[in-house]
Amino acid sequence: MTSTNSTGEPALRIENLDKYYGTFQALRGINLSVQRGEKIVVCGPSGSGKSTMIRCINRLEQHNGGRIVVLGTELNDDVGNIDEIRREVGMVFQHFNLFPHMTVLENCMISPMIVRKQPRAQAEATARHYLEKVRIPEQAMKYPSQLSGGQQQRVAIARALCMQPQIMLFDEPTSALDPEMVSEVLDVMVTLASEGMTMICVTHEMGFARRVADRVLFMDGGEILEEAPPDEFFTSSRNERTRQFLSQVLGH
Amino acid sequence: MEMVVVAPPAPGRLEDLRRRFFATPLQAVVSLACLTIMVFLVWKLLNWAVFSAVFTTSGGPEACQAAAGACWSVIAARWRIIFFGLYPYEGQWRSALACVAVVVMTVLSCIPAFWTGRRIALVWGAGTGLFYVLMKGGVLGLAHVGEEAWGGLALTLFIFVTTCLIGFPLAICLALLRRSELPWISRTTGLIIDGVRSLPLISILFTFAVVLPFALPQWLQGDKLYRVILGSALFFSAYQAEIVRGGMQGVATGQEEAAMALGMRYWQRISRILLPQAMRNAMPATINQFVISFKETSLVVIVGFFEILASGNAAYGTGEWRFAYVEVYAFIAFIYFIFVFSLSRYGAFLERRMSVSER
Ligand SMILES: Nc1ncnc2c1ncn2[C@@H]1O[C@H](COP(=O)(O)OP(=O)(O)OP(=O)(O)O)[C@@H](O)[C@H]1O
Ligand SMILES: [Mg+2]
C-alpha cells in the first residue's frame, strides 16, 4: 500500500483534475485540498459538475487528467487502491439508494460483514449503535419502503457510517426530501460535523453551510470559481456569477 | 405496493349471488343456461371417469372395452411402463426411489432456509448423486443399467432438473456477459443468445444427439443422454438469460453505485445486490420458463428417449389395450398437471414472500 500518512498529508488532495464525458468536458483543472476534520460545502448551478467532482473522489466516475490522492493513496487503475479508498470514504446519495430487499439493519450490516469481514455480532452492534445515533433504532427490522424519505436518508447515513469511514461525501442529501424532513437529516449531519468527521457536502442548504462549513466552494462550468469561509462567501464574494447564484438561492 | 381495500359492509351470501348473477331477467336466463350446461358437462365427465368406469384388471381388456365409462384398468395394468419405461422389471424400485430423490431435492431447494451456497450445493449434490447411483447402478451390489434403458417419469424428471441445474447458472453468466462494458464480449454473447433462440429446440436436440458425435473425439462425447441434456440446457439458458437481463434492467443504477461506494467487489455486488433484485423482478417470467421447459422434455422422444409421454404411447400401443389411449393420455396429463401446478403455486408463494420488500 502507498499509505504515507505523514502528519502533513491532507485527507484529500485534487490536482488539475479533468473529466470528460465523451467530448464534453465536465471538469476543468480542479484543484482542492481538504485537511482532516475539515468540512467543505460545494454549491453551484445545475450541471456545473458538483456531482461529477465528488463522484470522482471514490471512483464512481473515472477521471481523465490530473491526480486525486485520498488519505495518502492515489486513485489510479490499481484496483487495490480503489478498494482501499472506497472502504475509507462513505457516500450518501440524493436518492438514498438503500437496498430494498434487505431490512434497515441488514442494509447497515452487509458491507461491514462482507467487505470488512466483521463477525455478525460485531456488525450488528455497530449497526445498532449508528441507527441509535441517527435516531431511528426502532426501525431496524423494517424494510426501506416502509420508511419516510427523511428516515431513509438517515438510514443511508448510518449505513455509510457503519463502515467507519474517515471521509464522508454527501451529494445533495436533502434535495429529494419534503421540506419538513430536511431538518431531521441536517441535524444528523451537524452532529456528525461536530464530532470531527471530514465532510464534503454538495448542498444548497445555505443555513447548513453557515453553521458547519469551514470553506464554501462555488462551481460553474466545471470549474471552482470561488472558495472562501462562509461569512466571507456570503457577504463579500468577489465573483459576479457567485453573487447572482447566491441571490437566487437565498433570494425572494 | 401496498393496497388497502376498504370493504363495504358485506352483503349476505344469497344476496351477493343474486346481485351478481340474477340482477336482470336476461342475466338470470343466461346464468341458468350456463349453469345447466356446466352441470351437464360435469355430470358427463364424472359418469365417464368414475361412475361407469372400470378400475380393476380382473375382467381383462375385453370387459373393459365393453364398459360405458373409462377403462382405468389400462393404468393398473401398464403403470410400470408409464413410470419406468424400459427399465428392467426387477430394478424398478430403484427408479421409483430415484424419482423420490429428485422430487425431495427440488422441494428442499424451494425452501428459503436452504438458500445458502453450501446448503443448496449439498442438497443438489446429494440429490443428483443419489439419482445417478440408483438409476445407473454398477456399485453397492446394484446391477448396472445403461442410460438407454432409462425411461418414464424418472427420465422426464431427470432431464428437467438437470436442464435447469445447468441452464440456470449458464443463463446468469450469459446475462452478466451480455451487460459487460467491453463491446466485443456483450456483442458476442448477444449473438450466441439470439442464435440459439432462433433455432427450434428439436434441431438443437438432434444436433447434440446425432451430429455432435461426428464432430467430437470419442472421449469428449459422453452418453447421448448427457449431450441431449446439454443441448436442452443451452436452449433453456438462452431464453432464461434474456429474462434475467430484463430483471437486471429493472434494478436502479443507484443500487450498484451504492454497493460500490460501500467497497463491495464485483461478485459481491452481483450476488448480494443485483441478482436478488433482478430475480425478484424476473420471477413471473422465470416460473413461466420452467413450466415451458418441463413440458418440452417430451421432445427428447425424437432422439430416441422414452420419457413419460413416449412411455405412455408404448403403454397402450401394444396389442390388447390399443383402444384405451384416451385414459392413458388423461393419466399422463394429470401427472404433468401435478408438477406444473405445484410449480405455479410455488411461484405465487415466492411473489408473496418477496412483495414485503417491494419499493
Ligand atoms: N454520465 C454522463 N454522461 C454524459 N454527460 C454527463 C454525465 N453525467 C453528467 N454529465 C454532464 O456533466 C455535467 C455535470 O454534471 P453533474 O451531474 O456533475 O452536475 P451537477 O452540478 O451535479 O448538477 P445538479 O445540481 O443538477 O446535480 C452536466 O452538463 C451533465 O450533463
Ligand atoms: Mg448533482
Side-chain angles (χ1 to χ4, degrees):
Chain A
M1 272 310 104
T2 48
S3 307
T4 49
N5 279 338
S6 55
T7 38
E9 182 71 47
L12 168 70
R13 191 152 43 86
I14 296 178
E15 292 167 5
N16 288 319
L17 180 66
D18 288 325
K19 165 71 188 168
Y20 293 85
Y21 290 113
T23 54
F24 173 77
Q25 187 165 10
L27 294 179
R28 302 163 188 270
I30 301 280
N31 283 295
L32 176 66
S33 181
V34 180
Q35 297 303 319
R36 283 167 188 273
E38 234 187 334
K39 291 109 189 86
I40 307 291
V41 163
V42 184
C43 61
S46 180
S48 55
K50 309 179 295 290
S51 298
T52 305
M53 183 180 80
I54 76 166
R55 287 161 59 87
C56 281
I57 298 173
N58 64 353
R59 252 290 154 126
L60 293 185
E61 300 290 352
Q62 198 169 336
H63 58 277
N64 307 102
R67 267 159 54 87
I68 303 178
V69 182
V70 186
L71 299 164
T73 305
E74 170 150 14
L75 261 183
N76 46 30
D77 291 328
D78 185 335
V79 182
N81 285 6
I82 297 174
D83 283 343
E84 173 166 310
I85 287 170
R86 283 180 180 165
R87 281 196 295 270
E88 301 300 331
V89 177
M91 184 158 192
V92 174
F93 299 86
Q94 182 175 6
H95 296 288
F96 329 137
N97 297 355
L98 293 176
F99 305 132
H101 58 301
M102 299 180 187
T103 62
V104 163
L105 193 63
E106 287 166 341
N107 263 280
C108 295
M109 288 167 61
I110 175 120
S111 209
M113 278 171 63
I114 66 176
V115 176
R116 289 225 191 262
K117 313 280 182 219
Q118 283 180 11
R120 173 172 281 276
Q122 184 189 348
E124 183 170 343
T126 316
R128 291 202 184 272
H129 169 76
Y130 282 111
L131 286 175
E132 187 95 36
K133 196 159 175 162
V134 300
R135 299 185 209 112
I136 35 175
E138 72 285 356
Q139 314 283 6
M141 289 309 174
K142 288 197 181 166
Y143 284 92
S145 60
Q146 297 167 314
L147 304 184
S148 74
Q151 291 173 325
Q152 289 192 47
Q153 193 59 297
R154 285 184 283 152
V155 172
I157 295 175
R159 176 177 72 176
L161 291 177
C162 282
M163 285 293 283
Q164 291 168 331
Q166 304 187 40
I167 303 177
M168 283 286 285
L169 308 175
F170 293 84
D171 190 1
E172 307 204 31
T174 57
S175 55
L177 296 177
D178 292 337
E180 72 270 19
M181 296 174 185
V182 168
S183 65
E184 64 190 51
V185 172
L186 289 182
D187 285 348
V188 168
M189 291 169 64
V190 170
T191 313
L192 196 60
S194 69
E195 289 168 359
M197 176 65 78
T198 311
M199 290 165 66
I200 302 172
C201 312
V202 176
T203 182
H204 292 162
E205 295 294 333
M206 291 306 153
F208 172 79
R210 272 216 181 86
R211 260 174 89 185
V212 307
D214 296 309
R215 271 182 291 158
V216 182
L217 309 188
F218 176 74
M219 287 183 71
D220 195 11
E223 290 172 288
I224 297 181
L225 293 189
E226 186 141 358
E227 180 179 340
D231 15 319
E232 194 178 320
F233 182 85
F234 290 116
T235 52
S236 52
S237 96
R238 285 150 293 184
N239 189 296
E240 175 57 31
R241 264 190 284 178
T242 314
R243 283 201 298 274
Q244 199 182 337
F245 173 78
L246 279 178
S247 73
Q248 276 163 3
V249 258
L250 297 175
H252 312 301
Chain B
M1 208 168 43
E2 256 179 278
M3 260 208 289
V4 183
V5 180
V6 182
R13 265 274 173 76
L14 272 179
E15 173 61 16
D16 187 43
L17 277 182
R18 198 191 63 78
R19 266 195 229 158
R20 280 195 203 196
F21 300 109
F22 299 93
T24 65
L26 178 65
Q27 212 183 352
V29 170
V30 173
S31 296
L32 281 178
C34 290
L35 194 66
T36 320
I37 295 175
M38 262 161 54
V39 168
F40 178 72
L41 285 179
V42 169
W43 187 80
K44 273 289 228 195
L45 190 68
L46 279 178
N47 189 35
W48 176 81
V50 183
F51 304 132
S52 312
V54 180
F55 291 94
T56 59
T57 44
S58 54
E62 293 76 22
C64 201
Q65 189 169 17
C71 174
W72 296 121
S73 351
V74 65
I75 308 298
R78 294 301 179 88
W79 64 273
R80 280 174 178 272
I81 296 193
I82 297 178
F83 281 119
F84 308 125
L86 302 175
Y87 206 81
Y89 183 86
E90 59 286 356
Q92 286 177 356
W93 60 272
R94 285 162 49 185
S95 186
L97 271 188
C99 286
V100 173
V102 169
V103 170
V104 168
M105 164 178 105
T106 314
V107 169
L108 284 185
S109 54
C110 286
I111 299 174
F114 283 88
W115 293 351
T116 64
R118 197 180 307 156
R119 285 186 197 168
I120 223 84
L122 196 73
V123 168
W124 287 350
T128 41
L130 200 59
F131 180 95
Y132 186 78
V133 169
L134 280 168
M135 288 299 278
K136 183 100 182 226
V139 289
L140 305 171
L142 300 172
H144 176 271
V145 180
E147 279 87 354
E148 67 286 349
W150 298 8
L153 182 63
L155 186 64
T156 293
L157 289 180
F158 184 65
I159 293 178
F160 171 64
V161 167
T162 44
T163 294
C164 297
L165 282 189
I166 301 169
F168 206 84
L170 192 59
I172 290 174
C173 291
L174 287 175
L176 289 175
L177 288 177
R178 181 139 200 197
R179 68 192 278 284
S180 159
E181 277 164 15
L182 302 176
W184 62 274
I185 291 188
S186 57
R187 293 236 182 89
T188 315
T189 318
L191 216 60
I192 293 174
I193 291 175
D194 289 340
V196 173
R197 288 199 306 166
S198 25
L199 296 171
L201 177 55
I202 292 197
S203 71
I204 291 181
L205 293 181
F206 199 73
T207 309
F208 273 72
V210 181
V211 182
L212 220 52
F214 295 111
L216 289 180
Q218 186 72 37
W219 57 272
L220 245 180
Q221 287 177 17
D223 188 86
K224 184 167 79 173
L225 177 59
Y226 302 113
R227 293 201 306 273
V228 165
I229 287 173
L230 274 186
S232 117
L234 182 68
F235 190 73
F236 174 85
S237 67
Y239 281 89
Q240 184 60 28
E242 287 299 282
I243 293 173
V244 174
R245 186 169 73 103
M248 287 175 178
Q249 280 172 344
V251 179
T253 47
Q255 291 290 308
E256 267 209 281
E257 287 181 355
M260 276 190 220
L262 285 165
M264 292 187 209
R265 305 265 175 97
Y266 179 77
W267 281 112
Q268 295 173 329
R269 299 198 300 266
I270 297 296
S271 63
R272 303 303 190 105
I273 307 302
L274 183 66
L275 278 182
Q277 295 184 57
M279 288 322 298
R280 186 184 65 185
N281 297 343
M283 183 57 65
T286 302
I287 294 290
N288 198 30
Q289 191 58 37
F290 274 102
V291 166
I292 291 175
S293 28
F294 187 81
K295 295 194 275 194
E296 275 175 350
T297 50
S298 57
L299 290 178
V300 298
V301 66
I302 65 126
V303 288
F305 286 109
F306 283 85
E307 47 65 63
I308 190 162
L309 196 58
S311 304
N313 285 335
Y316 73 80
T318 52
E320 70 265 31
W321 294 106
R322 199 171 284 279
F323 62 91
Y325 57 90
V326 176
E327 288 82 351
V328 170
Y329 282 129
F331 183 67
I332 291 174
F334 180 65
I335 295 175
Y336 270 101
F337 178 81
I338 290 177
F339 282 99
V340 171
F341 191 70
S342 329
L343 213 54
S344 321
R345 294 322 300 162
Y346 175 64
F349 157 75
L350 278 188
E351 273 178 51
R352 266 200 314 282
R353 188 187 129 88
M354 289 168 164
S355 70
V356 180
S357 51
E358 227 161 67
R359 267 162 289 183

